[in-house]
Amino acid sequence: MADRATAMRRDASDAASALIPPTLAVPLGLFLFALTIRAVLAALTPDPAYPDAAYYVDIARNLAAGKGFTENFLWTFIDVGGRIPANAHLPVPSNAHWAPLASIVQVPFILVLGATQLASLLPFVLVGALAAPLGWAIARDAGAAPLVQVGAGILGAVPGLTAVFMAQPDNFALTMVLGGSALWLTSRGLRGHARSFVLAGLLIGLATLARTDGILLAAAPAAAFAWDRWRAWRAPQGGLAAASASLGSEPAASGAPARAGHPDQALASPPAGAPAIPFVAAVGCALAFFVVVGPWWIRQLAVFGSISPSSGYGILWLRSFAELDSVTAPRTLEAFLGQPLGDLVGSRVLGFVAAIGIYLALVCAVFLAPLVAVGWWRRRRSVETGPWLVAAAVLLFVSGLLFAIHVPNGMFLHASVALAPHTYWLAMEGIVAAAGWAAVRRRALDPGRLARLLTVAVLGIVIVGSGLATVTVRAGWQRTLAERRQLAAAIADLAAPGDRLMSIDAATFEYLTEHGGIVIPNDPLPVIAQAARAYDVRWLVLERSGTVPALAPLLDGAAPPPWLGPPVYVLPESAQTSGGSGGLGGKGESGGAGGAGGKGEAAVAAVIYPVCFEPGLPGCSPGGAATRRVEPSGRVLASRSSWGARRAGPP
């Protein structure tokens, strides 16, 4: 009986091997593991959790609906030149700042599944899961030990504290896979694989369509080609070939055997005296890049007159991030250079420091950083580390010099994930190196066993830390989304079809309500009123979690300006926590022009005001506002309204 069971297990194993070749079993398993992680993350937060993600979903749905690259909202006035246009209108051409790929990949799924949460999440779950086998492939190509290969793949599946972002309909998943793959293929080009080098150009083009700063990754193949030619010139009699071969094989760094028998071994030895990267491959790399980005750049030139419209509108010359939403700030090179020298230099230094901190804290989860440093030192002569190091240096330098104001506000967090796959390979190399170092000093230790124990411990810490970070970040997202869903329900009851909103996050409110609108300008009240009038805004949505200084006092009971009616909906902070019922305060509750949350009332989390440039609009008559407030239970109470049949209904 036992023999029969053994034979059955052997037959099952043989059948599995026939279906899945052994060389594919590990990467396939890693892919499925990463897919599961991302599916769980997507299920936990199925809606766009922040403006970038909401923007990409809104544009994707417009594309699927045949409306093209248009937006019925302004996430910032940068989209229309940074000023209030003379002929203000919506919708307008989209993507003056954001790259298009994160929207494009959603379109086929929306066409099949409809404009659903699942349709927008699926492409990012599927593409993002490739990060795990990518990490494995990078380590395998470098001749790393199987332990290092699998560990790099697991870290790619659970990428430190950035994991929570990987299932969002944003460009995180795209950038990690496209950027990491492009750097890997560049290093393969240095081993003589011309087609890989050409493909690297194509992937950098796609990375540029995922994020505009993806073009910075082009520094890696450019530097690789230049280094390759320099080495060929210095060692015309085969020195380059020998150097390339030796660089690709460092068994001491990982405990792996030499690359003999590796399927790419032939690629590691270019002909004596010849460069590893043929000139035609370099041309192909450049052409592949332009074939991918060319159509989009042509579109940008035709629509905006520039391949990078937001740069022309001054987004690089912000002196503070608050100027992003201003329509009066002087976003010019002259104003940028005219700021005090201390402020100018200080912002660059802080941007550079913030970029390093974001990489160390989020991608490396802090404690991986020394392991990455050790791994890089042991592998510093490997061609796999060269393109990665060039890309990292360029990203850090450009971020500190040009994008310093944007770095702490998400720019470098998005861009740095392109470095993650190689980071995790080097971290695993660092573990094995540390185990070898310890075994040399204490001969009783078995370096292989110690490396396995350290790997399990490190992976466990990363996974637990990633889980805790996910719980913390998701809790904040859920609080904001819960608040905005209540605001969206109120807007559905208050607003007529076609009414426009003014809010701090126009993209998310478009997603939740299907009402277009504009961002609140970060300017004085008269300028905010000018923008509201120009775009025929009907409702102002204020949130304590994010507003502009000019309107913030309204959340604490200040009287609204004349162009706003009495508040028509108030969400007390107690509705999100456990306080009292709260409601309108000051003069507003008795029908006057008071604000929300007056003295003695619960603090206000959010409030909706009618915009009243024309007399007689619903909600604009003193004493006629359908004031709504939310108790902690979430039950909505409404006073009787004089708005007419369209607004009438049970309380």
Side-chain angles (χ1 to χ4, degrees), residues 218-575:
F225 179 73
W227 178 86
D228 183 48
R229 293 285 150 165
W230 179 78
R231 292 288 294 180
W233 176 73
R234 290 291 300 268
Q237 298 303 316
L240 172 65
S244 296
S246 67
L247 288 177
S249 168
E250 290 193 66
S254 63
R259 293 173 59 91
H262 189 284
D264 292 330
Q265 177 64 28
L267 303 176
S269 301
I277 304 170
F279 183 77
V280 68
V283 173
C285 178
L287 287 177
F289 171 82
F290 285 111
V291 164
V292 172
V293 302
W296 180 249
W297 284 356
I298 291 171
R299 182 264 181 184
Q300 297 295 78
L301 284 169
V303 174
F304 299 107
S306 170
I307 63 173
S308 180
S310 62
S311 298
Y313 299 154
I315 202 165
L316 295 178
W317 312 128
L318 300 181
R319 295 168 298 179
S320 70
F321 199 72
E323 292 185 344
L324 179 66
D325 289 333
S326 172
V327 296
T328 60
R331 287 185 292 265
T332 64
L333 177 59
E334 181 181 5
F336 176 78
L337 296 177
Q339 64 183 305
L341 183 61
D343 293 345
L344 176 59
V345 174
S347 65
R348 305 306 103 178
V349 173
L350 289 176
F352 185 75
V353 171
I356 295 175
I358 288 168
Y359 171 75
L360 296 178
L362 300 180
V363 177
C364 296
V366 181
F367 79 97
L368 288 180
L371 295 174
V372 173
V374 171
W376 173 80
W377 180 254
R378 294 300 298 269
R379 284 293 203 162
R380 65 191 182 280
R381 296 186 182 278
S382 172
V383 294
E384 279 78 18
T385 62
W388 172 80
L389 191 63
V390 169
V394 170
L395 279 175
L396 285 169
F397 177 78
V398 174
S399 297
L401 184 65
L402 286 181
F403 307 136
I405 297 299
H406 303 272
V407 166
N409 295 281
M411 174 265 161
F412 197 79
L413 173 59
H414 284 79
S416 64
V417 296
L419 307 174
H422 286 76
T423 295
Y424 299 142
W425 159 55
L426 292 174
M428 294 304 300
E429 293 279 10
I431 292 174
V432 175
W437 177 85
V440 168
R441 282 150 184 79
R442 298 196 63 175
R443 295 185 179 181
L445 294 174
D446 177 1
R449 186 169 181 270
L450 181 59
R452 289 190 293 273
L453 290 174
L454 289 175
T455 297
V456 171
V458 167
L459 293 179
I461 293 172
V462 171
I463 292 172
V464 171
S466 178
L468 293 174
T470 296
V471 170
T472 302
V473 173
R474 180 180 177 273
W477 286 351
Q478 291 301 107
R479 283 193 297 271
T480 301
L481 285 170
E483 174 186 299
R484 288 180 172 178
R485 288 190 189 103
Q486 294 188 67
L487 292 169
I491 290 166
D493 183 55
L494 294 167
D499 281 2
R500 290 177 181 165
L501 315 177
M502 178 184 279
S503 67
I504 203 66
D505 186 356
T508 297
F509 278 102
E510 162 80 8
Y511 171 82
L512 293 173
T513 69
E514 298 186 358
H515 283 275
I518 63 173
V519 68
I520 304 172
N522 190 11
D523 291 296
L525 282 174
V527 178
I528 298 174
Q530 180 187 355
R533 184 186 292 275
Y535 282 94
D536 193 23
V537 169
R538 185 66 188 86
W539 306 99
L540 172 67
V541 182
L542 292 182
E543 300 171 89
R544 189 174 295 278
S545 58
T547 188
V548 299
L551 291 173
L554 273 64
L555 291 163
D556 295 317
W563 50 276
L564 293 178
V568 294
Y569 181 90
V570 171
L571 181 66
E573 285 191 337
S574 53

Side-chain angles (χ1 to χ4, degrees), residues 143-173:
L147 178 68
V148 172
Q149 298 172 25
V150 174
I154 292 174
L155 288 176
V158 190
L161 305 188
T162 66
V164 67
F165 299 98
M166 289 299 162
Q168 277 289 297
D170 194 359
N171 53 44
F172 281 101

